[in-house]
Amino acid sequence: MSGLDPRATLRIGNCSGFYGDRLTAMREMLEGGRLDVLTGDYLAELTMLILGKDTMRDPSLGYARTFVRQVEDCLGLALEQGVRIVSNAGGLNPAGLADKLREVAKGLGLDPAIAHVEGDDLRGADLEFGKNALTANAYLGGFGIARALDAGADIVVTGRVTDASVVVGPAVSHFGWQPEQYDELAGAVVAGHVIECGTQATGGNFSGFRTLISSGSTNGEPRARMDPMKPLGFPIAEVAEDGSCVITKHHGSGGAVTVDTVTAQLVYEIQSTRYLGPDVTTLLDSIEITQAGPDRVAIAGVRGEAPPSELKVCVNELGGFRNTVEFVLTGLEVEAKADWVRQQMNRSLSTTPPAEVTWSQTSHPQLDAETEEAASCLLRCTAKDASADPVGKPFTSAAVELALASYPGFTMTAPPGKPSPYGIYRAAYVGRDRVTHTVVHADGTRETIADPTSFVDRDEEPGKRPSPYPAPADNLTRRMPLGTFVHARSGDKGGDANLGLWIFNDGSAKYTDRVTWLTKLITPKRMRELVPEAADLEVEVFLLPNLGAVNVLIRGLLGDGVAASTRFDPQAKGLGEWVRSRMVSIEEGLL
């Protein structure tokens, strides 16, 4: 990258983890301290569906409009500081976003070099998924971003690159890495994976938040502490020439960066020990992680292999329409009340039955509760159909007409509304020769990015192999919550749920024994016991001993993906906290 010493550490900040993240974050990051590059991740599988609906209304849209507002506010500051901006906010229309940014810059009296990366959008392509798909986007790597930066771009916007690519690209440009430098590329992928979700690396959604808020010490050293009233700071990756990095944040910003907050992100939304990407296959079980100082976590030792020969494609199709109603059940005999209203609804819906009707399970409220809310539980009914008609008036009327004719205490959380469309996500794979990874430089010239020449077989992913488990569990003596000394982070990968579990990294002398216990405990059979909803599903468990962790993949728990799921927690965000609350047997010596 022009103007930077290629031997120097590259300081890459993040200012967005999703479309809707804190709007002020870009300015906070630019004003908070030194940066070389500022990145933003705005895309997810659900976001692509949202942007697809935007383009149905207006073909000139399809990008993250909040990013335009952020750039309008901060462009002058970024140019003054020499900070390059790299973001996937282009979504389905990176060219349109680039043009919009040029318009904004002109209105500010500025003239930045703006490039964009395209070629990921396969809608309308002569492929089996392209003709009827609302969105179909291949995941591109970081080398297109790198070429745009090499050519002097101040801002690079892309479509559907991998989340980590916005970090990989700047590192490739800065250090001059070649496509076969797999270890270096894998290190950058890990750095990108840690900071891609913004404040999740600095204490957000962290199961150990109470330890960060409380004061204290670990092994005689002051424990990291965060002010719960202060907004969490966004993370920074200081990437070195060998691909190692230090995760940190601006001094004085909120939150904390610890081995555990970083581990939480490392085990988030992965599928096995091998993280397949368009540039490199990252060996997650090679990661070495240490606390290098206050709010500084070092990551080293990351190994990489050749990438797969095919590119993953995010496909979203319109699945139909859905509607939901929630009944409130209070006091005694909630099961009988639930049975009655189910029977009444099912009878009413039988005239024009929806294609699918799903009921949630009831839970038993507190006995002798001191508040009405504590004495109540919810019963949710969701109807889905290819047409809006069966889940419209017939569905809403069936619920409303029971107001004076059903169980005692009948009420709903809200009146049922109009049907809403939902999408179905699926992953597909295409040969690289079907995708033209293209950079459109600031001067309008186009450059095609060459494909790698060496590949690994996707079928060699460890999910195809038996997982290696240690010896049978020891004699365990006490029933306690799994979360007694186990952290968790969970999320969605399409219709699959990902759950990372790892031992508190608190310097305890029992740490190694606890890790051994965890790897013995968490098997596919035990996970089906802890998550009864997975009783008939495929469950895979992968060991990450360097992180003191196991990664669990529950296939199909989320159905057709977040937009179509009728599950209470459609993105599996709370799955980890539920599993931590489940009771397991723990040896006395580990407590």
Side-chain angles (χ1 to χ4, degrees), residues 150-166:
D150 290 345
D154 298 303
I155 300 176
V156 184
V157 293
T158 75
R160 179 70 277 192
V161 298
T162 69
D163 297 342
S165 290
V166 296

Side-chain angles (χ1 to χ4, degrees), residues 255-525:
V257 180
T258 71
V259 166
D260 282 328
T261 67
V262 172
T263 299
Q265 189 59 25
L266 286 172
V267 300
Y268 180 61
E269 294 185 347
I270 59 174
Q271 291 194 309
S272 75
T273 59
R274 292 167 80 237
Y275 195 50
L276 277 68
D279 296 322
V280 64
T281 298
T282 302
L283 307 183
L284 297 175
D285 52 2
S286 67
I287 297 172
E288 300 170 4
I289 180 170
T290 56
Q291 193 78 41
D295 291 321
R296 293 182 65 80
V297 170
I299 298 175
V302 184
R303 301 293 305 278
E305 296 177 343
S309 59
E310 295 180 315
L311 293 176
K312 183 178 178 180
V313 181
C314 170
V315 181
N316 280 298
E317 300 169 332
L318 289 177
F321 295 83
R322 65 189 292 170
N323 208 342
T324 298
V325 61
E326 285 186 332
F327 301 99
V328 181
L329 311 175
T330 304
L332 304 175
E333 302 175 306
V334 294
E335 291 292 348
K337 293 171 182 176
D339 287 343
W340 189 15
V341 76
R342 283 194 198 100
Q343 293 170 14
Q344 290 177 307
M345 283 289 291
N346 290 338
R347 179 182 56 78
S348 296
L349 295 175
S350 63
T351 306
T352 55
E356 178 184 338
V357 177
T358 304
W359 290 87
S360 66
Q361 293 185 350
T362 55
S363 59
H364 290 276
Q366 296 179 21
L367 290 175
D368 195 24
E370 295 188 359
T371 66
E372 183 178 338
E373 185 173 359
S376 304
C377 66
L378 299 180
L379 177 66
R380 186 175 65 259
C381 178
T382 300
K384 295 165 65 176
D385 199 274
S387 168
D389 293 339
V391 297
K393 186 74 172 185
F395 179 78
T396 59
S397 295
V400 171
E401 290 170 2
L402 293 177
L404 304 180
S406 189
Y407 62 86
F410 180 100
T411 188
M412 295 178 283
T413 55
K418 295 181 179 180
S420 59
Y422 70 90
I424 295 176
Y425 162 83
R426 61 186 173 91
Y429 300 91
V430 297
R432 291 173 182 263
D433 61 338
R434 310 303 297 273
V435 177
T436 304
H437 187 174
T438 305
V439 180
V440 181
H441 291 290
D443 62 2
T445 59
R446 304 175 67 85
E447 178 181 357
T448 299
I449 303 303
D451 288 325
T453 56
S454 298
F455 306 102
V456 296
D457 187 346
R458 183 179 294 276
D459 289 339
E460 285 301 308
E461 188 175 353
K464 312 293 182 177
R465 312 171 188 162
S467 297
Y469 291 107
D474 299 319
N475 293 325
L476 308 172
T477 57
R478 290 187 62 181
R479 296 288 290 176
M480 298 186 72
L482 177 64
T484 300
F485 51 73
V486 176
H487 286 309
R489 170 69 65 78
S490 57
D492 62 301
K493 294 293 286 186
D496 303 333
N498 153 252
L499 169 64
L501 300 166
W502 74 101
I503 299 299
F504 292 4
N505 203 300
D506 58 2
S508 169
K510 301 174 183 179
Y511 175 79
T512 300
D513 290 339
R514 288 174 173 178
V515 171
T516 301
W517 170 83
L518 181 68
T519 59
K520 290 178 179 180
L521 176 73
I522 302 301
T523 65
K525 179 181 178 181

